[in-house]
Amino acid sequence: MELFIPDYVENILYRLEKFGYEAFIVGGSVRDLILGKEPADFDITTNAKPEEIEEIFKEYKTILVGKEYGTVVVVQDEGNIEVTTYRLEAEYLDGRKPSKVYFSDEIEEDLSRRDFTINAMAYNKSKGLIDLFSGQKDLENKLIKTVGNPIERFEEDHLRILRAIRFATQLGFYIEEETKNSCTQMGYLLKKISAERIREELFKILLSDRPSYGIRLMEDLDILEIIIPELKETVGFDQKNPHHEKDVFEHILCVVDHTPPVLEIRLAALFHDIGKPHTLTIDEEGIGHFYGHDKLGVKMSRDILKRLRCPNEMIDDVANLIKEHMTHHADLKDKGLKRLISRVGKDKIFNLIELQKADKRCSNRNADIGFLFERERQIQRILDRNEPYEKKQLEISGYDIINLGYKEGKIVGEILEYLMERVIDEPNLNHRDILIDMVLKKFTNKAK
Ligand code: ATP
């Protein structure tokens, strides 16, 4: 088998070999090349020790990532390459990190510490493919299977349980039976894993082509209740409403799949209806309603995202989309849309429309979403015409108002609010002189 290795990667392999060492591309890059995909990055494994790697590449810019882990990053214009010494991991004491890393002289040992057979292959031009665990066969059969006994491998590093689901989702693969059963059996151990590591895997699942596959796998393997118990409550939750064909969980999965792969939108899709199981009321006709589920969804999603240690800005963006997700019910004219743009932000408004399109499309097979495309065009027109929708676009500031003689404080806010209201209605009023005139006429001296 011959795999195509770009020159800037081949150059590193060549140099290591020239100095008498073995060197292979390894892991995800070999897997992706065999699959005919372009690898996101190339990792190299070698029997050269970190200080030897640094010496060989002394004319290059290098970064020693962690001497004890044996990784040196070689920086080139075309991309950075991680060059790592063959290693063996000594006991994992806490299921999270190896207690000590031992360097090895054997590629076989390095491959045997890797998580899944499809990630445990190495390749170079002279030796060809090194595939000790039938990774190529598993690639053909679309199987995620641990290298060695899954119970032991998951005991060593519990995150591998979620990684199995992540790779299955990204690649559209199945998890091999024994590996799968072990995921369920050992899933509770994920509670011990840091929120950051869980989050990174979860985000990769969400950004894949079909996130529903991964979320459903989590549910099938009893992992969902460990990572996001709030979502578990939506499984099988009947909405008792003819406008909603699916139960809450199935609806959420559909919405996530129908949104573009933008993290904030996918997270908002995942959590937009998470408040529903707590807000169901049934009217006299037996129809279900979920008043306030958007508000509760904001609170619950903030708690979940905080637990996953997401940055505040991301939490605010997701919460804002969830808060506004029901606004597609309102019949908004230009004025209402400007208020919506001002609440959501001009950079995020189209994210909201994407979420709403998916939400509507997934609620009912006869749902018409044409009005959302029209709304999108209407918003674009407002933005293209540069029509003001928020106070900072007014041709007059709070400072100007104070200079007119009004007291600093509440009244300044009221005046700006009044001007904004008028300018939203009539954009032509947004001229300094006109605005000053309006202030002086409306807010007489008593306010000064
Ligand atoms: P991608 O970069 O597309 O996410 P990848 O396979 O490169 O895929 P990484 O998480 O970057 O994924 O890991 C690189 C390689 O390191 C893997 O292919 C695997 O061989 C090994 N590896 C990573 N994490 C683990 C782990 N927790 N246990 C065992 N081996 C691992």
Side-chain angles (χ1 to χ4, degrees), residues 118-136:
I118 60 163
N119 287 346
M121 291 180 278
Y123 174 85
N124 70 19
K125 281 225 163 81
S126 51
K127 299 242 172 72
L129 188 70
I130 315 270
D131 178 14
L132 309 171
F133 308 103
S134 308
Q136 202 185 348

Side-chain angles (χ1 to χ4, degrees), residues 176-266:
E176 174 271 336
E177 207 54 30
E178 201 189 334
T179 303
K180 197 167 160 174
N181 292 336
S182 307
C183 285
T184 302
Q185 195 180 326
M186 316 283 284
Y188 69 97
L189 291 170
L190 282 168
K191 283 189 188 143
K192 291 202 206 169
I193 294 293
S194 78
E196 287 84 353
R197 291 182 83 203
I198 300 265
R199 180 188 71 202
E200 290 318 306
E201 296 301 324
L202 185 66
F203 284 2
K204 286 182 179 172
I205 292 172
L206 280 179
L207 289 175
S208 65
D209 290 345
R210 197 154 65 90
S212 65
Y213 180 62
I215 303 162
R216 205 184 286 284
L217 257 178
M218 284 196 247
E219 156 60 4
D220 291 346
L221 303 186
D222 300 340
I223 306 286
L224 193 62
E225 62 212 65
I226 290 154
I227 300 178
I228 316 174
E230 296 87 342
L231 258 182
K232 175 79 186 172
E233 296 164 347
T234 67
V235 178
F237 198 93
D238 182 356
Q239 309 204 48
K240 304 189 190 311
N241 187 312
H243 294 298
H244 298 290
E245 289 174 345
K246 300 182 168 70
D247 72 39
V248 181
F249 184 62
E250 289 300 324
H251 169 73
I252 286 174
L253 293 186
C254 175
V255 178
V256 176
D257 278 354
H258 282 82
T259 46
V262 175
L263 197 51
E264 284 79 3
I265 310 181
R266 291 259 162 111

